[in-house]
Amino acid sequence: MIAKVLYGSRTVGLLHYLYGPGKREEHRNPHLVAAWESRTPEPAHAPEETTAREAALWRLARRLDRPVHGYTGTVTQHVWHTSVRCAPEDGTLDDAQWGLIARRLVAAAGVASEGDAGGCRWVAIRHADDHIHIVATLVRQDRKRPNLRGDFYRLREECRAIERELGLRITAAADRSSASRPTRGEQEKARRLTPAAGPHASAEAGRAEVLTARETLAAAVRQAAVAAGSDDDFFSGLRAAGLNVKLRRLLSGDIVGYSVNMPGDRAGDDTPIWFGGSRLAPDLSLPRVRQRWGDVAGGERVEEHAAAAPQSQSPVPSRPLTRAQRRAAAWQQAGEAVEQARAVLSSAGDPRSAAAAAALADLLTAAASQAPSVVRRELVLAARAFEQAGRMPWRQTQASRQIRGAMWALLDAGRALSSGHEGVAVLKLIVAAVAAVRAVSARHQAAQMQAHARAARLAAAHLQSAAERLGARPRARADYHAATRPDLRYAVCQAVAGQADPAQVLADPAWPALAGMLARIEAMGADPAVVLREVVAQRPLREGSSSTARSVARVLVWRLQHWAAAGSHSTATRGEEPVVADRPARSAPSGVATASRPPSAGTAAARAAARQEQFVARAAVAVVETQRCSIAMIQQKVWVNEGKARELLRELRRRGFVAPAPNGKGEVVLVSREALPALREVAAARGQAVRLTSATASVAPPVSSRSGPLAASSPQGTKPPRRGR
């Protein structure tokens, strides 16, 4: 049950709306369910849309406003309007129950206590099954003003008590950590002032169009607060972001508050609209902003994060680090700081967990601004979702200092690229953040803080999506041929024995994807059985009976993807003893990796497979070389008939070389010309029954920093080289 409080100045106007049809004819049978006195006249007795109904509404409004007219002081907004709504699954309450709820809520808010003859006048109106509206005038009948300070929090506690008594859906308690939502007027203003998106507008642009001034200001202020180390840094960052800043000072000159304004954001009377920090979010008030740098003031910030940086093994480095190496080291340091803080974040009774969660929220904000473009949007959404989980009151601790030191190093290092060591370091931080955010979600869930747990779960979902979108991360594809291999089935059974039911893993719908990942790892030159034992030994497959893991097979797929993305090949080389003694040794030829056991040489199946791979290789070379794809072009370049050209086009789509254009006309080539040497080498290797996708995945050059995630890969779990820009 949720109660929303609003204030106004026209009693009769509000009554007209509540007794009217509504904006979309949603009001049905409006009538009183409770009032400050039993003999209050009922306007619903008069016919709708008549002068009698109009007169009845005016009479009720005058009765409610009578104490206001006799008040000698000044009252600007004297109408207290509260809407009280139940959840859809709570069923329908009758008028008597809603009347009792209204009396309890006006008493809890301080409007009119039970038995108080001098309380404020109020009425409760019902015009739908799931909610009521309470209207009160804020001058008591004894000509005094009621004390409504903190009315929202008292209403929240009373609603929770009613939920328990009536068996309604239990909602979260008010913990003063939620940011104020943009009002309907602010949302409508943002839609009205923002140009409509064109037909080719991206999803990111579409999301930006609905951002209100309040949301835009909150994002800019948070970014400045994260990067600042002092008051001067903070206010300079706000001005550098293009915001108007107004400071609130004491007579002594000390700054005690601030307000910001979006240039051009004005009210109807052409006055600028200012937002104080606490109106944007609880943790953006000036005291909470200053708490971020805490006991680290000004120039000490550089020494702080320099001391936290990992030291080189050699006391005198042979050569200075390049800019790319510094960026990779900063992301590596951030990932290690998050991993070290995971134990603190998951501890329910540890007072240090709130400080670590707040530092992690700021780190995600900083990482979103410095991340590669391919994952930046997901990190922005993750940071935005995790904000509420990091707003609990906290004090600076060692764990939070380490995270903030790594965050400042990250900001100073600059924007990272999604290639080479930087891409691996970015992926390491994202993977560590997924585990840390899930630990925070589990802690909030155990503490019955549903809103915070839900925010952390949403952030974890965005982080996991970012890991999947990162170019260094392979995508798992179902390989039904590999799923039938006895050696892979045996390896999985041996690896999960003692932690999960092997038969359940093999029967899981995700088993073909797991088999595809194992086939890809084998193509990389590693032993799937050894890699399986390695990832299973990392930590339990399920964190107890209440684990949110979807399935053991999916957990294994997730860990194998991390293993392949990080290039962890040290303990799983093909030189180790295979799990199945009678399995023939299969090593990948130089420059070419095999995705699965080829058919025996000399057989008809082998020759047909080799011939098919030759056609696919020639078609891939033609498509990548010309950067266009059509059935006619494949017919001309590969010298095949129309039916064969259609078959090759389907194969190129399946292997991720091309994809249908967004407008449905033609194909988009996903692989850049940089991969041509590798593709030509494969096409020249006639007679070898080797999967083209495995070959291109093994010899593809580094991906451009601006390339996006590959949308598809082969069923064997391998990916062709991706297109750069």
Side-chain angles (χ1 to χ4, degrees), residues 167-240:
L168 306 178
R169 175 183 171 183
I170 302 299
T171 54
D175 53 15
R176 302 174 190 253
S177 65
S178 297
S180 300
R181 293 176 62 98
T183 64
R184 180 177 297 178
E186 292 171 357
Q187 295 174 0
E188 294 297 331
K189 181 180 179 181
R191 295 190 184 98
R192 187 172 61 253
L193 297 180
T194 305
H200 303 293
S202 64
E204 182 172 347
R207 175 64 182 91
E209 289 175 357
V210 299
L211 285 180
T212 63
R214 182 194 297 268
E215 293 171 314
T216 304
L217 288 171
V221 172
R222 187 175 302 279
Q223 190 65 47
V226 165
S230 64
D231 282 4
D232 292 339
D233 289 347
F234 177 55
F235 297 126
S236 298
L238 294 178
R239 295 186 179 97

Side-chain angles (χ1 to χ4, degrees), residues 40 108 147 172 215 226 235 274 324 354 379 386 421 431 492 530 722:
T40 302
N147 181 14
E215 293 171 314
V226 165
F235 297 126
W274 295 91
L379 289 183
F386 194 70
H421 296 294
V431 172
V492 169
V530 176
R722 300 179 302 151

Side-chain angles (χ1 to χ4, degrees), residues 465-537:
S465 177
E468 293 173 353
R469 292 173 63 92
L470 196 61
R473 177 183 172 81
R475 298 185 64 184
R477 293 289 179 179
D479 186 346
Y480 295 96
H481 172 70
T484 63
R485 286 174 48 179
D487 56 337
L488 296 183
R489 298 171 71 91
Y490 180 77
V492 169
C493 292
Q494 291 293 312
V496 304
Q499 293 200 42
D501 183 6
Q504 196 172 27
V505 175
L506 297 178
D508 195 287
W511 160 241
L514 174 57
M517 278 305 304
L518 293 174
R520 175 181 172 83
I521 288 170
E522 185 179 46
M524 295 168 63
D527 191 328
V530 176
V531 177
L532 265 175
R533 291 198 297 267
E534 180 181 329
V535 299
V536 169

Side-chain angles (χ1 to χ4, degrees), residues 455-626:
R457 285 196 301 271
L458 180 59
H462 286 301
L463 289 170
Q464 181 169 336
S465 177
E468 293 173 353
R469 292 173 63 92
L470 196 61
R473 177 183 172 81
R475 298 185 64 184
R477 293 289 179 179
D479 186 346
Y480 295 96
H481 172 70
T484 63
R485 286 174 48 179
D487 56 337
L488 296 183
R489 298 171 71 91
Y490 180 77
V492 169
C493 292
Q494 291 293 312
V496 304
Q499 293 200 42
D501 183 6
Q504 196 172 27
V505 175
L506 297 178
D508 195 287
W511 160 241
L514 174 57
M517 278 305 304
L518 293 174
R520 175 181 172 83
I521 288 170
E522 185 179 46
M524 295 168 63
D527 191 328
V530 176
V531 177
L532 265 175
R533 291 198 297 267
E534 180 181 329
V535 299
V536 169
Q538 290 175 358
R539 58 183 182 275
L541 293 175
R542 289 185 180 274
E543 304 287 347
S545 59
S546 60
S547 172
T548 58
R550 290 166 288 186
S551 69
V552 172
R554 292 187 182 275
V555 171
L556 290 175
V557 169
W558 175 246
R559 294 186 187 180
L560 290 175
Q561 287 174 306
H562 294 171
W563 184 94
S568 307
H569 313 327
S570 58
T571 62
T573 59
R574 295 300 307 167
E576 297 199 15
E577 185 68 19
V579 175
V580 182
D582 59 350
R583 186 179 67 188
R586 295 185 299 276
S587 58
S590 174
V592 179
T594 57
S596 61
R597 281 179 288 191
S600 301
T603 64
R607 289 192 298 271
R611 186 66 176 166
Q612 173 68 9
E613 292 301 323
Q614 290 174 28
F615 279 123
V616 176
R618 289 166 56 189
V621 170
V623 165
V624 174
E625 185 176 20
T626 60

